[in-house]
């Protein structure tokens, strides 16, 4: 099934940073682009986030942008990805009807430059997923906070429509214990995507693309694959090259 002409399609250029990122996004057949991405760097750390507004409305889009933008700043300044999710919640609640919408949110934070090892942390509420690539295998990092995911974990078959019903979101999360949190030791790359991507593409294909498509092209490839598969939603992907290869030193030539 084909999708409507995409408006608001964009790609971000490779960031001038030791930790480059790329994003791609397509509105798809929705009236509003309610997906958002954000990046913030400081104190030797970088945080990235992807948010997916709940519903197809301007309020959902505003909520997603507010949540992602605030979360990356708090993650870097406070040094905690899970606290960044709670801070995003506080922003939406404090804004009241000025924002009004809600969102799913996934935040990834780079290691403390003073710590031993290279452990990233990923925190989330809702159903924006994340994967890591360690140079050999792709690892799913998140588990959807949806009615379908909770029931399937209990061995109960559910209707497909329940995959879109969130059990935890930015606005409704009550505390840190409801936030998903995972540590990722020394990944080569991290990939974050909204459900417009991961619900349209078979998980095996996602893994193949993450493993074989170079990071600069991966975000666009994931979004284009979702569009080709007939996604009915906004589709957004964010790729972080977390382990920059060492420069190649040319071998001196003999005179």
């Amino acid at each position: 099934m084909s999708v409507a002409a995409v408006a608001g399609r964009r790609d971000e250029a490779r960031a001038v940073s030791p930790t480059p990122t790329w994003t791609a996004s397509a509105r798809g057949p929705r009236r509003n682009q309610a997906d958002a991405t954000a990046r913030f760097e400081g104190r030797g750390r970088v945080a990235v986030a992807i948010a997916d507004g709940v519903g197809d409305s301007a309020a959902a889009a505003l909520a997603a942008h507010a949540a992602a933008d605030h979360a990356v700043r708090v993650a870097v300044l406070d040094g905690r990805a899970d606290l960044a999710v709670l801070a995003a919640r506080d922003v939406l609640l404090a804004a009241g009807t000025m924002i009004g919408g809600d969102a799913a949110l996934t935040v990834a934070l780079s290691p403390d430059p003073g710590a031993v090892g290279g452990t990233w942390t990923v925190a989330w509420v809702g159903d924006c997923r994340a994967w890591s690539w360690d140079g050999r295998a792709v690892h799913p990092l998140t588990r959807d906070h949806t009615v379908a995911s909770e029931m399937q974990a209990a061995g109960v078959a559910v209707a497909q429509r329940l995959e879109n019903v969130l059990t935890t979101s930015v606005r409704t999360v009550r505390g840190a214990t409801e936030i998903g949190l995972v540590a990722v030791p020394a990944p080569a790359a991290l990939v974050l995507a909204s459900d417009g991507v991961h619900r349209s593409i078979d998980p095996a294909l996602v893994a193949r693309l993450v493993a074989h498509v170079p990071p600069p092209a991966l975000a666009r490839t994931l979004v284009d694959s979702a569009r080709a598969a007939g996604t009915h939603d906004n589709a957004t992907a964010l790729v972080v090259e977390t382990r920059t290869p060492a420069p190649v030193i040319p071998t001196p030539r003999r005179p």
Side-chain angles (χ1 to χ4, degrees):
M1 178 178 179
S2 62
V3 297
V6 176
R9 171 174 169 166
R10 67 185 177 90
D11 288 290
E12 289 186 3
R14 177 179 174 133
V16 180
S17 164
T19 309
T21 60
W22 297 267
T23 66
S25 188
R27 192 183 72 185
R30 294 292 187 100
R31 289 178 299 172
N32 296 273
Q33 172 52 282
D35 287 350
T37 62
R39 169 196 169 99
F40 185 73
E41 190 165 0
R43 299 185 178 181
R45 308 185 80 171
V46 62
V48 296
I50 186 168
D52 181 357
V54 177
D56 183 8
S57 68
L62 184 58
H65 282 280
D69 288 344
H70 193 64
V72 291
R73 285 160 174 75
V74 172
V76 167
L77 298 177
D78 284 356
R80 292 271 298 274
D82 54 345
L83 294 183
V85 175
L86 294 179
R89 174 203 63 187
D90 293 344
V91 164
L92 295 193
L93 294 180
T97 57
M98 290 181 63
I99 294 181
D102 197 2
L105 174 68
T106 296
V107 184
L109 176 64
S110 69
D112 185 331
V116 177
T119 300
W120 283 66
T121 52
V122 176
W124 74 95
V125 287
D127 58 356
C128 291
R129 293 184 186 175
W131 302 262
S132 66
W133 164 248
D134 63 11
R136 294 177 297 178
V138 177
H139 305 280
L141 302 176
T142 57
R143 183 175 66 85
D144 295 347
H145 293 162
T146 62
V147 171
S149 178
E150 298 291 337
M151 296 182 72
Q152 288 164 359
V156 179
V158 296
Q160 185 176 1
R161 68 179 183 278
L162 296 180
E163 291 181 351
N164 297 315
V165 180
L166 302 186
T167 55
T168 309
S169 64
V170 175
R171 186 176 284 275
T172 65
V173 62
R174 292 172 293 183
T177 57
E178 293 186 346
I179 298 171
L181 186 66
V182 64
V184 190
L190 291 174
V191 179
L192 281 60
S194 66
D195 66 343
V197 171
H198 67 71
R199 293 202 199 289
S200 303
I201 310 174
D202 184 87
L205 176 58
V206 172
R208 288 197 301 273
L209 293 175
V210 173
H212 298 293
V213 177
L218 179 55
R220 175 49 57 192
T221 300
L222 287 167
V223 169
D224 285 348
S225 296
R227 292 177 58 217
T231 183
H232 296 281
D233 203 349
N234 307 143
T236 301
L238 183 153
V239 176
V240 188
E241 191 174 28
T242 58
R243 189 191 306 161
T244 304
V248 176
I249 301 176
T251 303
R253 293 183 179 181
R254 292 185 177 181

